[in-house]
Amino acid sequence: MLQDVRQGMQGTTAKVIVWAIAITFALFGAESIVGGISGEPEVAEVNGEGIPESAFQIAVERKKRQLLMQMGDAADPDLIDDGLLGQSVLDGMIQEKILEQDASDKGLFISVQMVDEYIRNMSEFQIDGQFSNERMQSVLGSAGFSLNTFRESLAKQFVLDQSRSAFLGSSFVLDAEEESLLKLDRQTRDFGMAVLDSSQFLDQVSVSDSDVASYYESNQELFKKPESVDVSYVVLRQSELTDVEVTSEEIKARYDQEIQDFVGEEERNASHILIAITEELDESSALAKAQELKARIDAGEDFAEIAKQESADEGSAENGGELGYSAKGVYVSGFEDALFALEEGAVSEPVKTEFGYHVIKLLDIQVNEPPALADRALVIEEEIKQEKLSNLYVDLSQQLADISYSAPDLIDPSEELGLEINQLAGVSRLTQDAVFSNVKVQRALFNEENLSGENNSELIELEEGVAVVFKVEDYHPESIKPLDQVRDQVVSQLESEKSRDYAASIGKAFVDRVEAGEKAEAVAADMELDWQLKTDVRRDNAFVDASLLFKVFAMQKPDDGESTVAGFDLNSGEFALVALTSANEGDLSDITIIEKQGIKGSLGASYGGTDYAAYMMSVESSAEVEKL
């Protein structure tokens, strides 16, 4: 087991999937990481048990980081309402506390072994399908977790999920319910249909000037032109800066500093024998067993052979207990303290950890050697270059900000810093542009100070290494586009609406005649409609429009020899006519066992989910909650 859960940081560069873990515990699990401190301020009480303010603040910060990451390049903390965010997080923590207390009352728990097995199988901790201690250490460390706190948080979530799993797992479906659902699923319908494409009736409708004028006056909101500005702007990009040099002397000096600061990390290769504490082997018996094995080793028996026969750590037992090389900070504290106190070749007395008792043997010690200058030169050169470019960008950003502040326009900063002046007309809040759709720029663009056009804007950093300064050259207030600009748009809209109404009127005439007693096929032929007959059509038929099928299967089953007729709009904008002649009971003779199990499982899960939701409402309503 220890072989599988020990952590490693030996040269890995895996900065990966931090949010896959951090998001999991953005709301739930924060309290288990922090814990309550006696006398600490609380934000709420649930059935007399407090939620510490520190846990709440950590949960809020994690949730905020999650939201900012989801916002991507447009991330702006000012866009997040701290009040709403805090309320949402607190509600989540209160719900978690209620569930936690309910689980405790039921005596629910999960073993450490099961949690460890789950961790070993997490894809976030695997490389090429194999569990990686180094990957796990990197991911957990970047997310701010230790292995223990992560394990505790996972354990809490598994315990809290047990009630829900019990409801879902215990729900069942009667055979009669299953059969009824299967018959509905396999039901087929016979019907005739025609689809009227409204576009074919465009030549049957006309739009007058008064129609256009009336529509324009009644729908002014559709023709609003948002406020906009014409701007000039300059952009400073670090990626476009090239005027830096890195000398060989600088590279050598940096390398010498690295060598001076280099401390060879000591790594120890250890073997161990684990005697696990179980229901069959209590703590005192496990200790006695470990002491017995230590005595056998001291008497000359081979450590590796004993490990293969006796160790409960299956991952390392087959290798004679060998765990491989690891530095400090990898193993749990008791194990690590004992390992780094040993001389090479020595065997420890039994050491207790949360996994049981260990007998540890130190096989070898190695210390990393510093790399040669030739191996580091290119990396160091790039590091120094990026540092210089970053410093140059900062200097130029400050110069741009200073010059722009005192200059009446962008000519001076452009000439002094060699930046091109760009222009963009008609910039509004709807503009899609790499610079002016940025939320920071948008906020500055339409504030009163910049709208006046008297000054340049402050320097705005769009993202790391990219900054902009702009000047409003002209302002255009919100207005209604004149009719002559939108006339074609209005005419097109009215023609579309009138043609759809025309198609619907034809459909109504069809329905009226069929309901009056005429045969649908005869009426369709008389009206020159493209009438199609469909037989044994199921709900999942891929060759009939899905929105039409939905309507067909919602129609009332006709009496024998009769038909049910209806007309309705489709999602495509077309108008459909349907004459339903029969609804046929589903044939279950060819249904597979897998299909039956799938439908039964889905129905059972639905029942279980409904039951659990009702249970949750009952538990939450009975809880005494006080927000402080």
Side-chain angles (χ1 to χ4, degrees):
M1 181 186 303
L2 187 60
Q3 165 70 16
D4 293 322
V5 300
R6 69 184 182 88
Q7 307 158 59
M9 285 293 286
Q10 303 149 357
T12 183
T13 58
K15 297 178 180 178
V16 293
I17 323 174
V18 173
W19 284 94
I21 298 171
I23 290 174
T24 305
F25 304 107
L27 293 179
F28 297 116
E31 187 178 350
S32 67
I33 298 168
V34 179
I37 302 175
S38 179
E40 180 184 354
E42 297 173 342
V43 291
E45 282 190 359
V46 180
N47 295 323
E49 186 175 351
I51 296 177
E53 184 177 5
S54 60
F56 169 71
Q57 294 297 341
I58 288 176
V60 169
E61 185 58 31
R62 281 186 172 162
K63 184 63 176 178
K64 181 178 288 188
R65 290 203 305 267
Q66 174 192 348
L67 293 174
L68 290 173
M69 187 172 185
Q70 291 173 341
M71 292 166 68
D73 293 339
D76 185 353
D78 293 338
L79 297 178
I80 298 176
D81 188 316
D82 290 335
L84 292 176
L85 177 64
Q87 185 59 54
S88 172
V89 171
L90 182 58
D91 289 344
M93 295 183 74
I94 289 172
Q95 184 185 60
E96 181 203 11
K97 181 63 68 177
I98 293 172
L99 292 174
E100 184 181 344
Q101 293 171 348
D102 181 59
S104 178
D105 292 341
K106 290 182 170 65
L108 303 178
F109 74 97
I110 188 168
S111 69
V112 173
Q113 289 81 3
M114 292 182 67
V115 176
D116 288 344
E117 183 64 24
Y118 179 84
I119 291 174
R120 287 195 297 271
N121 288 301
M122 288 180 65
S123 60
E124 292 86 353
F125 300 153
Q126 294 183 356
I127 298 177
D128 296 331
Q130 298 296 317
F131 173 77
S132 168
N133 299 314
E134 296 162 347
R135 173 68 65 88
M136 179 178 68
Q137 173 72 6
S138 176
V139 174
L140 291 181
S142 299
F145 287 97
S146 68
L147 176 58
N148 284 338
T149 55
F150 181 59
R151 184 190 288 121
E152 290 168 4
S153 297
L154 273 180
K156 172 181 282 190
Q157 296 312 302
F158 291 149
V159 168
L160 296 185
D161 195 48
Q162 286 183 36
S163 292
R164 176 177 176 274
S165 298
F167 275 95
L168 296 180
S170 62
S171 63
F172 61 91
V173 179
L174 298 175
D175 291 342
E177 292 177 307
E178 178 190 7
E179 183 175 351
S180 176
L181 182 63
L182 288 171
K183 286 182 177 179
L184 279 175
D185 180 66
R186 288 303 182 94
Q187 185 187 86
T188 65
R189 296 202 163 195
D190 301 338
F191 57 92
M193 58 169 283
V195 175
L196 307 180
D197 183 354
S198 60
S199 63
Q200 65 181 306
F201 303 114
L202 287 173
D203 58 351
Q204 302 295 319
V205 300
S206 61
V207 177
S208 67
D209 289 343
S210 61
D211 291 336
V212 173
S214 177
Y215 186 90
Y216 175 78
E217 291 298 327
S218 301
N219 296 274
Q220 295 280 287
E221 289 292 323
L222 299 177
F223 310 112
K224 272 189 176 180
K225 185 177 182 179
E227 64 175 339
S228 64
V229 291
D230 301 335
V231 295
S232 298
Y233 65 99
V234 293
V235 180
L236 175 65
R237 293 183 173 87
Q238 181 176 323
S239 61
E240 296 177 355
L241 302 179
T242 58
D243 191 21
V244 295
E245 293 182 1
V246 180
T247 66
S248 58
E249 290 77 13
E250 289 174 313
I251 296 173
K252 181 63 165 59
R254 176 67 64 88
Y255 173 78
D256 290 342
Q257 184 62 51
E258 287 185 357
I259 296 303
Q260 180 179 338
D261 296 338
F262 182 84
V263 177
E265 186 176 37
E266 180 181 293
E267 295 184 331
R268 296 194 165 204
N269 186 13
S271 287
H272 83 130
I273 300 169
L274 171 64
I275 306 301
I277 299 172
T278 65
E279 294 181 359
E280 294 77 20
L281 194 67
D282 60 21
E283 182 175 342
S284 61
S285 299
L287 174 58
K289 178 68 172 178
Q291 290 172 333
E292 175 194 335
L293 297 180
K294 172 63 164 60
R296 289 170 55 187
I297 294 167
D298 290 343
E301 290 193 47
D302 184 63
F303 187 100
E305 288 301 318
I306 295 178
K308 290 179 181 179
Q309 298 168 10
E310 303 290 350
S311 181
D313 181 6
E314 297 178 359
S316 65
E318 61 183 18
N319 296 322
E322 186 169 352
L323 297 170
Y325 287 94
S326 292
K328 282 190 175 182
V330 171
Y331 299 109
V332 292
S333 59
F335 188 98
E336 181 174 283
D337 293 342
L339 172 60
F340 280 83
L342 290 174
E343 298 291 336
E344 188 172 332
V347 178
S348 74
E349 296 295 330
V351 177
K352 185 185 177 188
T353 71
E354 59 193 276
F355 303 106
Y357 281 95
H358 308 260
V359 179
I360 308 167
K361 182 176 182 179
L362 177 56
L363 302 176
D364 187 30
I365 301 174
Q366 67 179 19
V367 179
N368 297 332
E369 296 295 329
L373 173 59
D375 296 331
R376 287 286 299 160
L378 291 178
V379 175
I380 291 175
E381 180 181 11
E382 184 62 25
E383 288 176 355
I384 296 175
K385 179 180 178 182
Q386 291 304 318
E387 290 173 8
K388 287 187 173 185
L389 288 173
S390 179
N391 292 334
L392 177 60
Y393 170 78
V394 172
D395 290 341
L396 292 176
S397 296
Q398 188 60 55
Q399 291 180 48
L400 176 58
D402 293 342
I403 299 170
S404 300
Y405 180 79
S406 58
D409 51 39
L410 296 175
I411 295 176
D412 288 349
S414 170
E415 291 179 348
E416 293 193 35
L417 301 178
L419 300 175
E420 180 184 357
I421 298 178
N422 303 282
Q423 281 85 34
L424 191 61
V427 179
S428 73
R429 289 183 173 85
L430 303 178
T431 295
Q432 296 298 311
D433 178 80
V435 172
F436 289 96
S437 60
N438 182 282
V439 291
K440 297 177 184 178
V441 177
Q442 283 280 323
R443 186 182 295 111
L445 195 63
F446 292 99
N447 67 32
E448 293 183 6
E449 182 178 354
N450 290 323
L451 278 181
S452 68
E454 296 178 359
N455 304 299
N456 296 319
S457 73
E458 294 183 350
L459 182 138
I460 302 171
E461 190 160 24
L462 304 178
E463 58 187 70
E464 186 175 354
V466 182
V468 64
V469 175
F470 66 83
K471 184 177 187 297
V472 173
E473 303 294 352
D474 199 5
Y475 171 70
H476 310 287
E478 182 181 79
S479 61
I480 303 298
K481 296 177 184 177
L483 178 57
D484 59 351
Q485 285 187 10
V486 297
R487 182 179 182 83
D488 291 345
Q489 177 185 344
V490 174
V491 170
S492 177
Q493 178 65 27
L494 286 173
E495 286 179 341
S496 178
E497 290 182 4
K498 287 193 173 188
S499 63
R500 286 198 299 271
D501 291 341
Y502 191 90
S505 68
I506 293 177
K508 185 178 184 305
F510 174 90
V511 171
D512 289 343
R513 289 178 62 177
V514 174
E515 288 182 340
E518 296 185 60
K519 294 295 184 181
E521 293 88 339
V523 176
D526 182 55
M527 299 179 71
E528 298 183 349
L529 302 179
D530 182 17
W531 192 254
Q532 302 176 38
L533 297 178
K534 304 290 183 181
T535 58
D536 291 328
V537 176
R538 283 177 44 172
R539 300 172 189 271
D540 58 356
N541 190 294
F543 301 101
V544 180
D545 182 274
S547 60
L548 185 148
L549 275 181
F550 180 82
K551 295 283 189 179
V552 168
F553 278 86
M555 293 174 66
Q556 184 176 350
K557 180 180 180 180
D559 295 330
D560 292 340
E562 302 294 329
S563 64
T564 301
V565 64
F568 38 77
D569 294 313
L570 299 179
N571 294 341
S572 61
E574 298 169 314
F575 192 85
L577 295 169
V578 171
L580 177 65
T581 55
S582 67
N584 314 307
E585 188 174 271
D587 180 10
L588 307 185
S589 61
D590 63 343
I591 193 167
T592 67
I593 295 177
I594 294 177
E595 287 177 306
K596 281 187 177 182
Q597 290 175 339
I599 293 175
K600 194 169 186 176
S602 297
L603 189 59
S606 176
Y607 288 172
T610 301
D611 292 342
Y612 179 67
Y615 172 75
M616 280 291 301
M617 290 179 61
S618 173
V619 172
E620 292 179 14
S621 64
S622 63
E624 295 182 6
V625 177
E626 181 181 3
K627 297 181 180 179
L628 305 177

